[in-house]
């Protein structure tokens, strides 16, 4: 049990640090602190890579919770909740850095506009993903309410849709996504994450057909 837990944590940490490692390989520390703009952009890139991995971690944890409980014990569910809250903060900070940058360079009006949908479809994918994740977190947090207690799993599927949107957003706009070593993490997360999602869809519709 301890060896399995150590292996899972070790692999996850490797995935987690691959993003910051790629960012720092592409942007030497001597230039990161050159000015506020460079620092903000670098933080945004760091948060973006970490957010992708943490969202992937939530997909893996949440979709296989029964198996994780068998492997890691009852703490697996608490890990999922705690990890999810931390992931949400990281995910939220990523676009917030862009808002801060727009505020600094173009003023408060531009910062407010940056939060709204625009003409860039891939940027909009990221904004929609944030809304879906926010809704999933909200429902998960208040799932003890009668209506949400019965239906919270259905709303939690929003996380899966968000993961697909985040993948599209990241691949097309991410500065470091296609660079080593994070590209390996991105591809691995995309393949495994989408396999899990398609498996969930398959079993969902299979049960529907059996009922009908």
């Amino acid at each position: 049990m301890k060896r399995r837990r150590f292996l899972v944590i070790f692999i996850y940490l490797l995935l987690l640090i691959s993003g910051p490692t790629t960012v720092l390989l592409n942007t030497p520390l001597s230039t990161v602190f050159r000015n506020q703009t460079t620092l903000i952009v670098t933080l945004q890139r760091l948060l973006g890579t970490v957010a992708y991995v943490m969202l992937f971690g939530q997909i893996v944890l949440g979709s296989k919770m029964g198996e994780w409980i068998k492997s890691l014990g009852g703490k697996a569910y608490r890990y999922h909740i705690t990890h999810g809250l931390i992931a949400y903060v990281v995910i939220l900070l990523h676009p917030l850095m862009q808002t801060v940058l727009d505020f600094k360079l173009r003023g408060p009006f531009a910062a407010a506009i940056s939060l709204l949908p625009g003409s860039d479809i891939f940027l909009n994918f990221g904004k929609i993903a944030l809304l879906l994740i926010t809704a999933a977190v909200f429902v998960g947090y208040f799932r003890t309410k009668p209506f949400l207690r019965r239906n919270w799993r259905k709303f939690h599927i929003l996380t899966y849709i968000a993961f697909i949107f985040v993948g599209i957003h990241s691949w097309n706009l991410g500065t470091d996504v296609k660079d080593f070593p994070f590209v390996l993490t991105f591809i691995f997360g995309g393949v495994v994450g989408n396999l899990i999602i398609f498996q969930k869809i398959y079993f969902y519709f299979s049960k529907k057909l059996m009922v009908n």
Side-chain angles (χ1 to χ4, degrees), residues 13-58:
L13 288 177
L14 283 180
L15 296 176
L16 205 59
I17 65 174
S18 66
T21 300
T22 304
V23 173
L24 293 177
L25 285 174
N26 290 337
T27 310
L29 280 175
S30 58
T31 63
V32 171
F33 299 99
R34 181 177 296 169
N35 53 61
Q36 289 183 346
T37 300
T38 306
L39 178 60
I40 293 170
V41 171
T42 304
L43 285 174
Q44 185 185 33
R45 290 160 56 199
L46 284 167
L47 289 165
T49 59
V50 172
Y52 177 82
V53 175
M54 296 194 78
L55 184 58
F56 167 67
Q58 281 299 96

Side-chain angles (χ1 to χ4, degrees), residues 94-164:
H94 174 64
L96 184 61
M97 288 295 104
Q98 182 62 49
T99 304
V100 171
L101 184 62
D102 288 332
F103 181 86
K104 181 182 183 326
L105 297 178
R106 295 183 289 174
F109 181 73
I113 292 296
S114 70
L115 299 173
L116 302 174
S119 59
D120 191 323
I121 186 172
F122 299 119
L123 194 59
N124 289 337
F125 272 122
K127 293 176 182 179
I128 294 170
L130 178 60
L131 291 176
L132 293 175
I133 293 168
T134 300
V137 170
F138 178 84
V139 171
Y141 186 80
F142 291 102
R143 67 186 180 280
T144 55
K145 303 297 181 182
F147 174 75
L148 296 180
R149 186 166 57 242
R150 294 192 301 269
N151 299 284
W152 76 272
R153 290 184 183 277
K154 296 178 182 178
F155 287 102
H156 226 54
I157 294 173
L158 296 175
T159 306
Y160 300 148
I161 302 172
F163 181 72
I164 296 173

